[in-house]
């Protein structure tokens, strides 16, 4: 069974002083004792980096990673961007992993509605894209040490709220907090409306205080010049948000092409998980 291939090697991140061989080896030996699947050194390294080189937390995150994905196959399996469900999702939202990082080596993920019809907003496929985007950010020459998220709420309405699934949101927040191989640092919501408050009311019981403190809500007509000075620099924002990068639409299109380039990666990662899940039965 092929292991998912990354765009970096373990020696690359050791050279960058993001991990050590001893840290990766300790985690690998532990994985054998708890019957987790065999994975690559590079995959282990992404968790070591996400957990800021805390080996105990790395072990917990890896265990949660496989358990969370086992519980939510509708979100984490079948990551083919050309499938019918994801074609609808990629038309519904614009999303991108920004090609330039912040000064603290964080990658910026950005999201906004493209099609504002609530009828076309399907929660699970859109959540799937959000987490597939993490793999794009990790498949670089040097995986980032953090993640900063920008969500533009413009175009969202009350009927979109009816499309959210509380059970799915609970599981996804669990993954976000305890299992994602990327260290969340900030979440910014632009053009906030009353809908955002309702969503936060729904999900706050599932959120750890640490995650809730990362949320920054910005009102309608936020001064983008101030936003770039205080939060996300211009070098990491699309030009239609006052930044130096290409338009959000162009970055979104490049993201979709990158999914196609990583098709084999998604297939191999899912195969490892399915084989492990079968062995548990």
């Amino acid at each position: 069974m092929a292991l998912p291939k990354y765009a970096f090697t373990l020696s690359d991140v050791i050279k960058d002083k993001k991990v050590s061989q001893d840290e990766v080896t300790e985690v690998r030996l532990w994985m054998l004792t708890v019957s987790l699947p065999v994975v690559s050194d590079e995959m282990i390294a992404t968790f070591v980096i996400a957990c800021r080189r805390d080996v105990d937390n790395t072990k917990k995150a890896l265990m949660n990673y496989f358990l969370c994905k086992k519980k939510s196959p509708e979100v984490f399996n079948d990551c083919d961007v050309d499938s019918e469900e994801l074609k609808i999702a990629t038309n519904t939202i614009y999303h991108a992993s920004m090609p330039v990082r912040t000064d603290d080596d964080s990658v910026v993920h950005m999201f906004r509605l493209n099609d504002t019809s609530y009828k076309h907003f399907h929660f699970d496929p859109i959540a799937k894209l959000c987490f597939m985007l993490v793999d794009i950010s990790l498949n670089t020459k040097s995986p980032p040490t953090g993640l900063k998220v920008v969500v533009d709420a413009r175009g969202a309405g009350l009927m979109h709220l009816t499309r959210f699934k509380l059970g799915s949101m609970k599981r996804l927040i669990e993954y976000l907090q305890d299992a994602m191989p990327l260290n969340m640092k900030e979440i910014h919501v632009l053009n906030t409306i009353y809908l955002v408050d309702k969503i936060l009311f729904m999900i706050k019981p599932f959120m750890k205080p640490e995650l809730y403190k990362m949320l920054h809500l910005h009102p309608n007509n936020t001064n983008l010049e101030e936003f770039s000075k205080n939060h996300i620099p211009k070098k990491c924002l699309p030009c239609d948000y006052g930044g130096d990068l290409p338009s959000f639409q162009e970055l979104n299109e490049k993201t979709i092409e990158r999914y196609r380039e990583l098709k084999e990666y998604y297939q191999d990662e899912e195969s490892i998980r399915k084989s492990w899940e079968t062995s548990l039965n």
Side-chain angles (χ1 to χ4, degrees), residues 52-190:
R52 291 173 288 187
R53 303 183 69 171
D54 184 317
V55 172
D56 288 338
N57 283 339
T58 299
K59 294 173 182 178
K60 293 175 186 176
L62 268 162
M63 179 64 78
N64 289 330
Y65 175 88
F66 288 102
L67 293 177
C68 285
K69 289 199 170 188
K70 181 177 182 293
K71 288 189 289 186
S72 300
E74 70 281 0
V75 171
F76 295 108
N77 290 354
D78 304 315
C79 295
D80 180 357
V81 75
D82 293 311
S83 67
E84 286 305 312
E85 68 164 6
L86 289 187
K87 282 182 181 178
I88 295 172
T90 54
N91 185 62
T92 301
I93 66 168
Y94 278 172
H95 67 305
S97 173
M98 299 297 140
V100 178
R101 295 181 189 172
T102 62
D103 291 342
D104 65 354
D105 195 41
S106 293
V107 66
V108 177
H109 288 183
M110 196 163 181
F111 305 89
R112 83 159 185 240
L113 286 174
N114 174 44
D115 181 347
T116 58
S117 171
Y118 78 93
K119 294 179 180 179
H120 299 150
F121 187 93
H122 300 285
F123 182 81
D124 287 343
I126 288 174
K128 183 180 295 190
L129 289 178
C130 294
F131 291 118
M132 286 172 65
L133 197 60
V134 170
D135 295 298
I136 286 182
S137 294
L138 294 176
N139 272 278
T140 59
K141 292 297 182 182
S142 180
T145 55
L147 169 63
K148 298 182 180 183
V149 173
V150 180
V151 179
D152 185 349
R154 192 182 323 165
L158 185 60
M159 292 304 293
H160 283 90
L161 195 61
T162 66
R163 311 295 281 183
F164 283 78
K165 300 178 179 179
L166 196 58
S168 294
M169 290 177 71
K170 180 179 179 181
R171 291 194 297 273
L172 296 180
I173 291 172
E174 178 185 354
Y175 179 80
L176 187 72
Q177 295 179 141
D178 301 325
M180 188 172 67
L182 197 49
N183 179 30
M184 180 68 77
K185 289 187 173 181
E186 299 174 13
I187 304 171
H188 297 275
V189 183
L190 303 178

